[in-house]
Amino acid sequence: MGARRRRPAGRRVIPEPTTATASVSVPRRRCLPPTPCLFFSQFARIITFRCLPVLTRRVDSRYRYPALYFVFFAAFSGFAAFRNVLLEEMGMSGVEMGIVGMVMITAGVVVQPLWGFVADYTRSPARVLVVAATVSALSLLSYPLGASLPGDAFLLITAGTALFAVGRAPIVPLSNALVLREGFDYGYARSFGSTSFGIAVLVIGFLLAYTTTLLVVYLYIAGMAVFVALALTIPDDEESILEGGLGTQAIGLLARRQFQVVLVAAFLLGFVSRSGDAFFSVYMRAVGLGDGYTGAAWALKTVAETVVFLAVGRTALSYGSLVSVGGLGFAAGYAGLTLFPTLGSVLLANVGLGVGLALLFFALVNLAHDCAPDGLHSTAQTLLTSVGVGAGGALGHIVAGWLVDAVGVQSMFAYLAAASVLLALVGVAVHAVADARHPTTA
């Protein structure tokens, strides 16, 4: 009997059809192209059953909260820096860009306290973050839709921006409340946001030289998908106990003199910072420096923010002193943009702006947290960013847009420098009133 031939490993032997099987016709499966519904359902399954368990196991509280800032600011950086460039490419005037910016901030001002009330009432700020991030991402689809329309897309863009602002409004203040609720160093956690903002805007600034400005919209939507996955891993607040009604406690918070002074400083911060940020990319094009250097300037600014956020908690300066120094940082930065529109001066000016922003936010966010009673911290943070920073930014956008058309974008920064000096003077009032209970930041 001859040696039996061995079948090579890994080869599959298909038997010849017999008489019984040859007559049976086996239908072939058709390979259909995936529909949009099937695509998004598969994407949701991947996020739910693959990404979310990994995040739950591997991202503990030491990294989860800094990651919230890192992801959000990286996603938002391109839209924040180049929104008006995108609107300018759509044919909008300076006044129209100012109206869009004002609508964006005004919508946030109106809804932010409501988001805070819901978060405190349900004691689930993380679930509020999930809903808010989803709304903000979907609403930005109005920008590519408006860019594809043959006519004027001003009304569509304005409506989409308003809805975007409604969703984006609570993301940062509720993240602040979560970080401070868990006893984390706010400056350390927030430094991750500054770092990611600087890196992302630098990369995006160079990419825009080779691709469409709508890239900033698509990157934001992708970033919010990651943000939602992170927020779903945050537990609810089961320890805070609010004594009395939520509305009564909120009114009492607004009646406190310490909190009122903090809101005034936050209003001026929003006025000088939001309007300056909105028109900085327009300024860079006006002085002939371009989008690539815009990204570099934003990156240097956020490096300065990061360094200050990491170091300010170890200083012995009072919150009022931090507000005054921060206001002077803005004044010096805007004066430099007005007087010396060269690359070196612009980069140096952005260092001053980054230092000022970090000092002011560190002082005001911590003061708002300290002024709020237990169980009302989310509301306090949303009031700070809506009644304070948001309302000031809304007024700043419309005033800055009018000044751009009246005196030019370069001269507009001179008026912002004067407003920054007023902010520095408000720091004296913060020191006299709000620092009475909190003499140092150490």
Side-chain angles (χ1 to χ4, degrees), residues 256-320:
R256 293 185 182 181
R257 185 174 59 173
Q258 294 92 341
F259 194 67
Q260 291 172 353
V261 174
V262 170
L263 289 180
V264 171
F267 181 90
L268 289 173
L269 169 60
F271 184 92
V272 300
S273 65
R274 296 287 177 83
S275 54
D277 289 348
F279 286 95
F280 179 70
S281 57
V282 178
Y283 165 86
M284 292 293 281
R285 287 190 172 186
V287 299
L289 294 179
D291 294 340
Y293 290 122
T294 300
W298 277 97
L300 188 59
K301 176 183 175 182
T302 52
V303 168
E305 287 180 28
T306 302
V307 173
V308 174
F309 272 126
L310 290 173
V312 67
R314 300 180 178 89
T315 66
L317 293 175
S318 67
Y319 290 141

Side-chain angles (χ1 to χ4, degrees), residues 186-230:
Y186 167 74
Y188 170 77
R190 180 62 174 76
S191 68
F192 282 79
S194 298
T195 301
S196 66
F197 191 100
I199 295 174
V201 80
L202 178 63
V203 174
I204 292 171
F206 285 103
L207 289 178
L208 291 184
Y210 306 98
T211 185
T212 172
T213 313
L214 287 171
L215 174 69
V216 301
V217 173
Y218 303 134
L219 289 178
Y220 181 84
I221 295 173
M224 287 303 97
V226 179
F227 185 90
V228 166
L230 281 170

Side-chain angles (χ1 to χ4, degrees), residues 288-383:
L289 294 179
D291 294 340
Y293 290 122
T294 300
W298 277 97
L300 188 59
K301 176 183 175 182
T302 52
V303 168
E305 287 180 28
T306 302
V307 173
V308 174
F309 272 126
L310 290 173
V312 67
R314 300 180 178 89
T315 66
L317 293 175
S318 67
Y319 290 141
S321 299
L322 295 179
V323 172
S324 295
V325 176
L328 293 176
F330 270 100
Y334 287 146
L337 294 179
T338 305
L339 300 174
F340 309 105
T342 61
L343 178 59
S345 298
V346 167
L347 295 178
L348 185 60
N350 274 270
V351 173
L353 297 175
V355 170
L357 188 71
L359 292 176
L360 283 157
F361 267 108
F362 182 87
L364 298 178
V365 167
N366 278 282
L367 276 171
H369 179 78
D370 293 339
C371 289
D374 192 29
L376 203 69
H377 295 301
S378 295
T379 300
Q381 295 298 330
T382 54
L383 287 173

